[in-house]
Amino acid sequence: MPGRGGGYPGTVILGIDTSLGTAVAAIARDGEVLADEQSGNPLGHAEVIGDLLLRATAGAPAPTHVAIGMGPGPFTGLRVGIATARVYALGRGVPVVPVPSHDGIALGVLLSDALTGGETGRFAVVTDARRKEFAYSIYEGIDDDGLPVRSSDAQLSPRDDLDARLDAAGARRYDATTVSAAMIALAAARALDAGRTLADAEPLYLRSPDVVAAHAPKRVS
Amino acid sequence: MNAPLVLGIETSCDETGIGIVRGRQLLSNTIASSMDEHARYGGVVPEVAARAHLEALQPSIDAALAEAGVTLADLDAVAVTSGPGLAGALMVGVGAAKGLAVALDKPLYAVNHLVGHIAADILDADAGELEYPTVALLVSGGHTSLLLVRDLTSDVELLGETMDDAAGEAFDKVARLLKLPYPGGPEIDRAAAEGDPTAIRFPRGLSRASDMASHRYDFSFSGLKTAVARWVEQHEAAGKPVPVADVAASFREAVVDVLVTKALDACARHGVPRLLLGGGVIANKRLREVALERAAAAGVAVRIPPLRLCTDNGAMIAALAAELISSGRRPSTLAFGADSTLPVTEIQVAEDPDAETPAPRAGATP
Ligand SMILES: [Zn+2]
C-alpha cells in the first residue's frame, strides 16, 4: 500500500478555477501535468467551461479528486467554476478539494523562483476585485509540505491604498491576471498528502451582496 | 423508443429547481427557494439569488435523485435553462449542467425557460393531451408573456410581453406602497379579500384603441403602479386613512382584467379556443377565477398545471428536453452560455448538427 506522501499512482486531480479567466487542468499526484486548458477570454466562463472540461478529461485518466479555486474573484465568473466543479465531482462520485485561488498563484510564483534560483521573500498576490478595489493575500516562502506559507488571508483594499499597505507589510507586489488550474490542482495534491485543508467549502466572496434593505417607496406626485 | 430519463436544472430567478422526469412522467420536482432572503429587500436581488443557487445545487440534486429513486448513472440526458432570466443566476445552472453532462458523458439540452413553463402542462397526468395550437399566458415576478404555441418543440410565437414591470413585480411594488410584506402577490390577495374591486378605477395599461395597432398583446404595469402610488399619496395628503382593502382589490382587478382580456382577445383573433396559464402569479386565486369565468363565456378551454409546476421548477425543463429528445432533436453543444434575453422562438439553444439523437439504453425500464 503506497504511503500518503509518495504520489499514489492512481491519483489524478482535476483543477478548475474561474476566478480570473477560465482554467481546467489535470495532474497526477506527483505533479505531472496531464492536461492544461485555458481560455484567453477573461469573461465567457459559462460558454467555455464545458469544452475545456471535456478536453482536460478526455485524454487523462478519470480524476479521483476535483480541486476548486474558491476565489477571490469577480463573483459571477467565480461561481461558474465552482458550480461546474462541484457537480462534476458529484457526477463522478469523487471528493472536492477547495483551494484559495491566491494559493495557486503563490505556488506558481514560488516554484518558478525556485527553478531560477531566485529569492522570493515576502510577497503579495494581488488580483482585481472590481469596484476600485484589489484583493490580496500575503505569502512568505514555502513550507515542508511544499505549500505556500500564507501569512495573511485574502482581503480587500482600495486600489489607491494598496501600495502603502504592502509597504507597511514589507511585501513585494505580485499582480496576477491569470490562475493556473494545474497549480490549483498541485496545491490540492500537496494538501491531500499533508492531510491539510486550505480553504472552506464556500467561495471567498470577501464582500456581502451589495444591497440595501427596502426603503420607503419614493413619491410620485 | 423508451421514454428518456432526464434531469433538469433551473436557476433563472430565485428558485433552484431540480426535476427528474421519465418522458412525460414526473419523478421528482425539487425546489429550493431563496425567497425569504429577498424579503427584506422587497424584491429579488440577483447576487443573493446567485449565491443561494450555488449553495442549493448539490443538496437539491441529491434530494431529487432520492425522491425519484434513480441514480445519476441511470440518466439519459441532462437539461438546463439557458435563458431568459437573471444572467448571474442562470450561469450557476449552466456551469452545473455542463459539469454533470461531462462527468456522466450524457447529452445536454439547453432550453428556453418560457417554453419550459408550457412544458409543465404535459407532466400533469390528470389533464388530457395538450392540444395545438394554444394561447399561453405566462405570468410571474420575472415575466409576463403571451404566446401562441403551435408545437411545444418547434413552433412557439411571441404575441406580446410586458414593456416594463412583470405582473408579479407590480404586485410586489404595490404591496410596498401599501406597507404590506414581500412577496406582494399573496399579501395583496389577502388584503383584497374584504375590498371592493370596483372602488377605484385604475388604468388598464396598453388597452386603449390607439394601443391596439402596435401593442395589442403587450403589457405595461408601471403606469398602473404609479397611478396607485399617486392615489395613495393624494389620500394621505388629504389626511384621510387609506382604504387598503379597496386599493388592493381595485389594483388586483386592473392587473387581472388586462391579463385576461388580452389573453382571450388573442384566442379570439387567432381562432384558438384554448388557453394555457403558467408562471407563479397563476397562484393568484382571483386571476384563476376571472380567467375561468370569462374563458367559459367565450368558449375557451383553460388549462392550469398544478401550482408546483407553475412556479419556476426543474421538472418543466426536464420535460421540455424529454419532448425534444422524443421528437428527434439532437443535444446542444457545450458552447452555449446564459442568455438573459433569450427569445421564446429559441426553444432549444445550440443544437449540435454533428451529434446524434440520444437513444435510451436498451433494457432501460420504461
Ligand atoms: Zn418563470
Side-chain angles (χ1 to χ4, degrees):
Chain A
M1 178 104 188
R4 285 207 329 190
Y8 183 78
T11 300
V12 172
I13 296 163
L14 185 75
I16 296 181
D17 189 288
T18 56
S19 65
L20 292 169
T22 307
V24 185
I27 68 163
R29 188 118 166 205
D30 63 5
E32 184 198 349
V33 177
L34 307 171
D36 195 0
E37 301 284 344
Q38 54 189 311
S39 159
N41 183 353
L43 299 173
H45 308 87
E47 286 83 348
V48 301
I49 189 114
D51 284 312
L52 296 184
L53 179 61
L54 188 63
R55 288 212 298 271
T57 53
T64 54
H65 301 77
V66 178
I68 317 177
M70 302 306 288
F75 308 152
T76 303
L78 175 63
R79 270 189 293 265
V80 172
I82 297 173
T84 306
R86 282 182 177 172
V87 179
Y88 177 86
L90 181 71
R92 303 292 313 177
V94 300
V96 298
V97 185
V99 177
S101 297
H102 285 182
D103 279 17
I105 297 168
L107 184 57
V109 170
L110 289 158
L111 293 182
S112 136
D113 283 357
L115 273 178
T116 57
E119 186 56 48
T120 308
R122 181 181 297 178
F123 70 106
V125 169
V126 178
T127 54
D128 182 26
R130 305 254 171 102
R131 302 195 194 167
K132 299 188 176 140
E133 289 188 311
F134 287 117
Y136 70 102
S137 309
I138 298 177
Y139 295 90
E140 197 157 15
I142 203 158
D143 62 23
D144 292 345
D145 296 326
L147 287 163
V149 178
R150 191 183 336 116
S151 52
S152 165
D153 287 348
Q155 55 188 301
L156 295 173
S157 165
R159 286 187 193 173
D160 294 343
D161 295 355
L162 180 68
D163 285 330
R165 285 199 195 188
L166 297 187
D167 281 349
R172 180 173 62 87
R173 174 169 171 166
Y174 182 87
D175 284 277
T177 52
T178 59
V179 180
S180 158
M183 286 299 135
I184 296 291
L186 183 60
R190 292 179 172 185
L192 284 170
D193 278 343
R196 285 169 53 185
T197 301
L198 300 178
D200 284 345
E202 295 313 311
L204 288 161
Y205 286 123
L206 306 186
R207 214 184 255 143
S208 331
D210 182 32
V211 283
V212 284
H215 43 80
K218 53 178 183 294
R219 292 187 59 87
V220 297
S221 54
Chain B
M1 181 167 119
N2 290 319
L5 183 68
V6 184
L7 181 145
I9 300 176
E10 151 64 37
T11 63
S12 69
C13 192
D14 62 341
E15 327 267 10
T16 311
I18 304 294
I20 300 177
V21 305
R22 195 186 296 280
R24 296 181 172 184
Q25 186 195 356
L26 176 64
L27 300 184
S28 175
N29 180 20
T30 301
I31 300 170
S33 176
S34 58
M35 190 200 285
D36 292 350
E37 294 172 59
H38 303 285
R40 64 199 192 97
Y41 306 117
V44 173
V45 180
E47 177 62 22
V48 172
R51 289 186 183 195
H53 285 309
L54 188 63
E55 281 176 35
L57 267 177
Q58 272 172 296
S60 299
I61 294 173
D62 287 337
L65 291 167
E67 188 187 5
V70 300
T71 67
L72 289 172
D74 297 330
L75 297 176
D76 294 308
V78 176
V80 67
T81 303
S82 171
L86 303 170
L90 287 165
M91 278 184 224
V92 175
V94 168
K98 290 182 178 182
L100 192 58
V102 173
L104 302 174
D105 190 22
K106 294 290 159 78
L108 175 59
Y109 284 78
V111 305
N112 188 301
H113 173 85
L114 291 174
V115 184
H117 273 299
I118 304 165
D121 181 79
I122 61 176
L123 292 173
D124 184 0
D126 299 330
E129 184 102 351
L130 177 62
E131 283 181 72
Y132 300 118
T134 182
V135 169
L137 173 66
L138 307 180
V139 199
S140 77
H143 37 76
T144 304
S145 307
L146 199 52
L147 313 174
L148 179 58
V149 186
R150 294 190 191 86
D151 185 273
L152 180 63
T153 59
S154 62
D155 191 352
V156 179
E157 184 189 335
L158 178 72
L159 298 177
E161 62 189 336
T162 183
M163 313 302 289
D164 38 61
D165 294 342
E169 251 178 308
F171 272 95
D172 292 339
K173 289 177 176 175
V174 168
R176 264 177 67 193
L177 284 173
L178 297 176
K179 301 178 179 64
L180 300 171
Y182 174 88
E187 295 294 334
I188 295 271
D189 247 10
R190 204 166 297 139
E194 305 296 315
D196 173 6
T198 62
I200 310 152
R201 175 76 191 176
F202 286 126
R204 270 61 172 162
L206 297 180
S207 297
R208 290 198 201 93
S210 57
D211 296 319
M212 289 302 117
S214 48
H215 293 295
R216 186 171 198 110
Y217 303 123
D218 288 327
F219 302 93
S220 168
F221 296 107
S222 83
L224 169 60
K225 178 200 68 192
T226 306
V228 175
R230 191 169 292 128
W231 196 93
V232 169
E233 281 168 19
Q234 284 165 359
H235 226 73
E236 282 170 340
K240 291 185 271 188
V242 175
V244 172
D246 284 349
V247 174
S250 300
F251 159 75
R252 183 182 64 177
E253 204 63 11
V255 174
V256 167
D257 184 26
V258 167
L259 290 171
V260 174
T261 300
K262 292 198 175 223
L264 291 176
D265 180 39
C267 289
R269 303 240 321 170
H270 287 87
V272 173
R274 287 172 290 274
L275 175 62
L276 172 65
L277 303 181
V281 173
I282 301 304
N284 190 291
K285 209 165 124 238
R286 181 71 186 150
L287 174 56
R288 291 201 308 267
E289 265 170 25
V290 172
L292 288 168
E293 200 179 287
R294 286 170 51 183
V300 170
V302 178
R303 295 173 73 103
I304 309 177
L307 194 60
R308 265 185 74 78
L309 291 168
C310 278
T311 53
D312 291 348
N313 67 85
M316 69 188 197
I317 300 307
L320 177 53
E323 290 296 300
L324 289 166
I325 293 168
S326 299
S327 72
R329 293 281 276 276
R330 291 171 292 243
S332 303
T333 69
L334 286 174
F336 64 91
D339 185 345
S340 57
T341 60
L342 184 67
V344 74
T345 44
E346 290 193 41
I347 298 167
Q348 180 192 355
V349 173
E351 185 178 5
D352 184 352
D354 300 325
E356 286 176 24
T357 304
R361 293 168 323 290
T365 45

